[in-house]
């Protein structure tokens, strides 16, 4: 099914960090796909900004190469020149006056103006200050900021203050690309667009919820950053927290930014402090002297490449229903899903020999975005009444066609939302701070106890203690499969 395309208004988008990895791998390919789809108007301008000196032509050549690498055969050669003609490059230094007048000269007065901070967070403040100083931040100019949004509550507050000094909160778009995923938005539609699930979406009917974001890749390539961050900061504080919020939140009155974000922040504030024995940290090793510590070149590293947690939400809807979260590197497969495990039927009329199966609603984020509902049926054949579990399966690629789930999908949607001025899928300042306020004591506890992560084999499903976290409660993790 071809998605409906509503073109956005003409815009000037300045990409600070224009020559960086994120811009090349995600931002330009995403914009290119929106251009081909007819959503990005040909009068739009994308202005790359970084310190390096280079001509427009050199910049365009590099962008074209990266689009070909990212999208391969998807690249429509007849469209590429048109897209490249929207690009320009300006050499600008966030920390000095260099290039700012030139940048100002590139911007038009009568179009939507967006500034994408695809740079280290230490440059957010200087960029905001210079945009203000050079008179570029007025009107309804928007800034987009990337994760990591801070290292802890203190630094996140500092970044929020630096942005708030020159931009209203309504102008700030904090990206979490998980929120741009089709299935994540579908989670809200499944819950609030159907009568079927919401009456059951509570501790009376739901036994527990599992949220898994598993990666098969190691930290290689991001080693220095990762050793300073760990899975808790890199994944749980942002991506998993967002998935938890969307799964657990109350219905907002409207699908609009303030209502949705109000409900999400209430979930974070209702989280109980996590008991130390409800957290498992892990570090992968390959059994041949290699592994996480070798990858980060730090033989004494205590940083976790895996974390599993059992969480409780103290409110009427969820009291008594645990949420189990896990994420890690070098696991058996790349797979992200939310599994809502319903309680057993209160009484089996078929007797114990028939077996029992709890219904599980699985919302699959990657790969193969889609939704599966496990339903109990009779095992076919004359062998008596035995029950089995079958999936009611809706793979988006099969049902809606291959247009969903492209590698740049989330960025495409989120960048277009910025241009449209829709903040619904972006994190608000208080939301980010609430997530850090919950995360900080956990990390401080590890540091105070000099906690050493458990080891796990690369390619496994994590440390054995993570299985114990579940089996102690008479439950089990779902298998990690791609
Ligand atoms: P990167 O590859 O190191 O690129 C950094 C960019 O910033 C370069 O274009 C660099 O160009 C520019 N830059 C550095 N200092 C500057 C200055 N003083 N003034 C103007 N430009 C300057 O970083 P990245 O991987 O693209 O990441 C960018 C941001 O996105 C970071 O906050 C990162 O944490 C976040 N992020 C990245 C990814 C990813 O997949 N890469 C994913 C999620 C979030 P010059 O040196 O020429 O100035």
């Amino acid at each position: 099914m071809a998605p409906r395309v509503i073109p956005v208004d003409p815009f000037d988008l300045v990409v600070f960090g224009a020559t960086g990895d994120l811009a090349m791998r995600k931002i330009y390919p995403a914009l290119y796909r929106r251009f081909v789809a007819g959503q990005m108007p040909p009068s739009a301008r994308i202005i790359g900004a970084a310190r390096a000196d280079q001509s427009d032509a050199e910049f365009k050549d590099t962008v074209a190469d990266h689009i070909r690498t990212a999208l391969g055969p998807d690249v429509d050669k007849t469209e590429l020149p048109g897209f490249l003609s929207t690009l320009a490059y300006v050499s600008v230094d966030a920390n000095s006056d260099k290039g700012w007048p030139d940048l100002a000269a590139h911007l038009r007065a009568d179009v939507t103006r967006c500034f994408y901070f695809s740079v280290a967070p230490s440059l957010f403040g200087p960029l905001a200050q210079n945009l203000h100083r050079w008179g570029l931040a007025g009107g309804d100019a928007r800034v987009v900021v990337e994760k990591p949004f801070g290292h802890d509550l203190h630094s996140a507050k500092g970044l929020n203050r630096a942005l708030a000094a020159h931009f209203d909160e309504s102008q700030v778009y904090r990206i979490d690309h998980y929120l741009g995923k089709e299935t994540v938005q579908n989670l809200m539609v499944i819950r609030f667009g159907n009568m079927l699930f919401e009456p059951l979406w509570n501790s009376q009917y739901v036994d527990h919820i599992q949220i898994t974001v598993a990666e098969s890749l190691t930290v290689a390539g991001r080693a220095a950053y990762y050793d300073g961050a760990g899975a808790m900061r890199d994944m749980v504080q942002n991506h998993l927290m967002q998935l938890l919020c969307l799964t657990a939140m109350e219905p907002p009155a409207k699908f609009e930014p303030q209502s949705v974000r109000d409900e999400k922040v209430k979930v974070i504030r209702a989280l109980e402090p996590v008991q130390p024995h409800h957290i498992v940290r892990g570090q992968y090793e390959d059994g041949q002297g290699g592994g996480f510590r070798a990858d980060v070149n730090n033989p004494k590293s205590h940083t976790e490449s895996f974390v599993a947690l059992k969480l409780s939400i103290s409110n009427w809807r969820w009291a008594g229903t645990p949420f189990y979260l896990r994420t890690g590197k070098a696991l058996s497969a790349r797979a992200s899903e939310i599994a809502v495990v319903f309680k057993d039927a209160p009484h089996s009329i078929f007797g114990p020999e028939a077996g029992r199966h709890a219904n599980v609603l699985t919302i699959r984020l990657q790969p193969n975005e889609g939704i599966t509902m496990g339903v109990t049926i009779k095992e076919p054949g004359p062998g008596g009444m035995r029950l089995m579990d079958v999936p009611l399966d809706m793979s988006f690629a099969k049902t809606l066609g291959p247009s969903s789930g492209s590698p740049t999908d989330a960025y495409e949607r989120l960048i277009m939302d910025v241009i449209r001025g829709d903040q619904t899928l972006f994190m608000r300042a208080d939301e980010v701070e609430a997530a850090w306020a919950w995360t900080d004591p956990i990390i401080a506890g590890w540091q105070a106890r000099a906690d050493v992560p458990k080891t796990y084999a690369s390619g496994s499903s994590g440390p054995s203690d993570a299985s114990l976290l579940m089996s102690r409660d008479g439950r089990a993790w779902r298998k990690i499969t791609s």
Side-chain angles (χ1 to χ4, degrees):
M1 195 168 76
R4 202 156 48 101
V5 171
I6 303 171
V8 295
D9 291 336
F11 60 87
D12 284 345
L13 170 66
V14 179
V15 181
F16 290 107
T19 55
D21 177 66
L22 181 73
M24 291 295 172
R25 280 193 311 111
K26 297 286 183 190
I27 300 175
Y28 308 129
L31 285 162
Y32 170 72
R33 278 179 51 98
R34 289 299 87 208
F35 181 85
V36 173
Q39 192 165 22
M40 176 181 149
S43 62
R45 292 279 166 271
I46 298 159
I47 300 134
R51 287 171 306 178
D53 286 314
Q54 62 178 323
S55 66
D56 281 352
E58 286 168 321
F59 177 59
K60 289 179 191 194
D61 282 349
T62 316
V63 171
D65 283 347
H66 280 87
I67 290 177
R68 287 187 198 101
T69 307
L71 302 177
D74 269 2
V75 173
D76 179 343
K77 290 194 174 62
T78 59
E79 299 274 11
L80 195 53
F83 175 74
L84 295 177
S85 72
T86 69
L87 298 184
Y89 180 82
V90 185
S91 171
V92 178
D93 184 356
N95 287 319
S96 76
D97 288 350
K98 186 190 167 196
W100 288 93
D102 194 9
L103 177 62
H106 273 77
L107 297 177
R108 297 168 289 178
D110 52 348
V111 297
T112 302
R113 196 175 277 184
C114 305
F115 300 100
Y116 199 128
F117 291 5
S118 180
V119 292
S122 57
L123 296 180
F124 293 176
L127 282 175
Q129 206 170 1
N130 267 313
L131 286 170
H132 172 74
R133 182 163 158 240
W134 294 93
L136 307 178
D140 73 342
R142 287 144 212 184
V143 286
V144 185
V145 291
E146 268 293 341
K147 81 161 214 187
F149 198 83
H151 191 71
D152 52 17
L153 179 58
H154 178 74
S155 55
K157 281 186 169 174
L159 291 176
N160 279 334
R161 268 197 307 275
L163 294 170
H166 305 295
F167 292 94
D168 186 74
E169 179 63 23
S170 63
Q171 296 176 277
V172 181
Y173 292 72
R174 294 174 194 78
I175 279 210
D176 183 327
H177 71 272
Y178 265 64
L179 292 181
K181 288 180 182 293
E182 190 72 25
T183 337
V184 173
Q185 290 163 72
N186 241 321
L187 176 57
M188 279 186 279
V189 180
I190 288 163
R191 287 193 57 193
F192 307 129
N194 294 289
M195 193 56 205
L196 202 56
F197 296 113
E198 198 49 25
L200 308 179
W201 209 265
N202 54 54
S203 58
Q204 202 183 337
Y205 295 102
V206 177
D207 177 70
H208 72 280
I209 292 180
Q210 299 187 18
I211 302 181
T212 299
V213 177
E215 295 177 67
S216 52
L217 292 177
T218 65
V219 297
R222 296 173 69 214
Y225 157 75
Y226 201 94
D227 196 29
M232 191 73 188
R233 288 191 176 97
D234 186 50
M235 297 297 291
V236 178
Q237 185 274 343
N238 38 68
H239 301 321
L240 276 87
M241 189 57 62
Q242 290 297 317
L243 299 180
L244 172 79
C245 286
L246 294 175
T247 308
M249 73 183 187
E250 295 301 315
K254 274 189 181 167
F255 186 66
E256 55 94 46
Q258 298 308 3
S259 306
V260 171
R261 299 188 300 177
D262 283 348
E263 295 307 334
K264 278 167 43 194
V265 85
K266 281 185 209 165
V267 174
I268 304 175
R269 290 191 178 133
L271 282 172
E272 289 283 325
V274 190
Q275 305 298 317
H277 64 284
H278 286 165
I279 308 179
V280 177
R281 299 168 77 217
Q283 238 180 27
Y284 63 83
E285 56 178 22
D286 67 5
Q288 290 153 15
F292 181 82
R293 291 180 174 190
D295 285 349
V296 298
N297 197 20
N298 178 2
K300 293 195 171 140
S301 174
H302 284 179
T303 303
E304 75 286 354
S305 61
F306 174 98
V307 64
L309 309 99
K310 176 183 176 184
L311 306 186
S312 306
I313 300 175
S314 280
N315 63 19
W316 271 60
R317 186 187 285 265
W318 292 119
T321 294
F323 285 68
Y324 298 92
L325 274 53
R326 68 179 160 166
T327 183
K329 298 275 187 192
L331 294 175
S332 54
R334 173 177 174 261
S336 302
E337 65 169 38
I338 301 165
V340 180
V341 181
F342 288 91
K343 291 185 173 172
D344 281 345
H347 165 68
S348 173
I349 63 167
F350 306 108
E353 62 286 354
R356 292 171 87 154
H357 296 270
N359 299 122
V360 181
L361 176 71
T362 312
I363 297 127
R364 180 110 179 152
L365 310 178
Q366 64 188 22
N368 314 323
E369 292 189 54
I371 293 157
T372 307
M373 180 81 212
V375 177
T376 304
I377 62 161
K378 178 189 169 297
E379 218 176 85
M385 183 60 87
R386 297 202 184 283
L387 309 187
M388 65 182 286
D389 198 28
V390 291
L392 287 181
D393 199 347
M394 194 185 101
S395 146
F396 287 177
K398 268 190 243 155
T399 312
L400 306 176
S403 57
S404 65
S406 85
T408 54
D409 209 28
Y411 276 91
E412 290 175 47
R413 173 171 300 106
L414 293 173
I415 295 171
M416 291 299 111
D417 279 0
V418 175
I419 314 268
R420 275 194 292 260
D422 184 345
Q423 288 183 305
T424 310
L425 299 176
F426 297 83
M427 289 176 292
R428 206 168 55 191
D430 57 342
E431 211 180 326
V432 174
E433 290 182 12
W436 278 122
W438 175 82
T439 309
D440 275 3
I442 297 173
I443 295 174
W446 294 339
Q447 284 163 351
R449 294 192 300 277
D451 189 85
V452 181
K454 311 280 181 207
T455 55
Y456 63 95
S458 294
S460 71
S461 55
S464 53
D465 282 25
S467 307
L468 271 179
L469 182 71
M470 281 288 209
S471 59
R472 275 201 306 255
D473 295 345
R475 301 181 175 111
W477 290 107
R478 289 165 54 76
K479 200 161 183 280
I480 299 174
T481 49
S482 52

